[in-house]
Amino acid sequence: MDLQLTGRVVLVVGGNGLIGSAVVTRLEEEGATVVVGSRSATRGLRLDATDDASVTSAVSAVLAEHGRLDGLVVTAAPAAQTLDPARQADPAQVIEAVDAKAVAFLRVANAVLPTMVEAGYGRIVGVSGQNAFLTGNVTGSVRNAALIIAAKNLADAVAGSGVTVNTVSPGAVSPTPAREVQQGAPGQSSPDQIADLITFLLSPRTAAVSGESIATGHRVRGVVSL
């Protein structure tokens, strides 16, 4: 299927990371013009999604160079392994984690939405995680759930404008995902599998899909989530 991404300009925040780099590769295979945004700026633009000025500067640079911005993917966030399990319910860690993931997504999305709405077209995808659907770790649950809720609010705010906002929630990410899915746990998915879904959601063909939270790697087995 032709995803009609040739010539589309897409900003991938966190594009040097495990999932982000797979998204960049997949988009380039589809003919998109990809701009990588990351704090290290080893490739592309320097963009710190926790800093307003950095976000504004990076988005302005994309528009100045390309004159348009058709898609945004936000994968940037500290890895779950960096969160202290001994502090999983510590309000200070929760606030820091929400700012680094959910608020970071909201900050970048807010920066690109006016341009997309004015153009009458845009695709935004945020990467959350299936911890949003599980208890047992307040920090992991809240930071991911907050991102999903923020994205849904944005999707509703721009409904009918030609701009869509969706989220993708992987389970455990592995280069060689296991086929088995344990009861009460999400299934695994690879960076390439996640990138395939994100790329599809960035396509003009998905105009009817917005405000959705889509799991990869099988949504938690044994749990109904409406």
Side-chain angles (χ1 to χ4, degrees):
M1 175 189 294
D2 179 8
L3 295 181
Q4 300 176 351
L5 287 168
T6 299
R8 299 285 183 179
V9 178
V10 182
L11 172 62
V12 180
V13 182
N16 289 322
L18 182 65
I19 296 173
S21 58
V23 173
V24 170
T25 298
R26 187 72 181 86
L27 284 169
E28 289 178 340
E29 290 172 349
E30 289 292 330
T33 298
V34 184
V35 180
V36 174
S38 68
R39 287 185 295 179
S40 63
T42 55
R43 176 187 180 190
L45 296 172
R46 185 184 181 281
L47 194 162
D48 181 352
T50 66
D51 181 79
D52 288 326
S54 178
V55 170
T56 299
S57 175
V59 171
S60 296
V62 173
L63 293 173
E65 180 174 353
H66 300 283
R68 60 190 291 174
L69 183 54
D70 303 295
L72 168 69
V73 181
V74 182
T75 72
Q81 294 81 0
T82 66
L83 303 175
D84 185 352
R87 298 176 58 219
Q88 58 88 16
D90 181 346
Q93 178 170 263
V94 174
I95 291 171
E96 183 179 345
V98 169
D99 183 60
K101 187 161 190 175
V103 178
F105 164 79
L106 184 61
R107 185 176 288 110
V108 185
N110 280 339
V112 306
L113 273 173
T115 296
M116 291 182 174
V117 170
E118 183 179 0
Y121 177 85
R123 300 286 182 267
I124 296 175
V125 181
V127 177
S128 180
Q130 290 199 44
N131 280 342
F133 317 132
L134 297 167
T135 60
N137 187 310
V138 175
T139 302
S141 295
V142 171
R143 73 170 188 160
N144 286 306
L147 193 158
I148 293 171
I149 293 167
K152 172 57 174 168
N153 274 270
L154 293 181
D156 287 1
V158 298
S161 69
V163 180
T164 66
V165 186
N166 294 287
T167 57
V168 169
S169 293
V173 182
S174 170
T176 55
R179 295 181 63 182
E180 298 78 13
V181 181
Q182 301 299 319
Q183 188 73 11
Q188 297 182 358
S189 54
S190 70
D192 287 342
Q193 289 170 336
I194 299 165
D196 284 344
L197 175 57
I198 291 172
T199 302
F200 177 71
L201 291 172
L202 290 167
S203 169
R205 292 183 177 275
T206 57
V209 181
S210 189
E212 291 299 320
S213 168
I214 305 173
T216 66
H218 193 103
R219 187 180 288 264
V220 184
R221 184 176 181 184
V223 174
V224 176
S225 180
L226 302 177

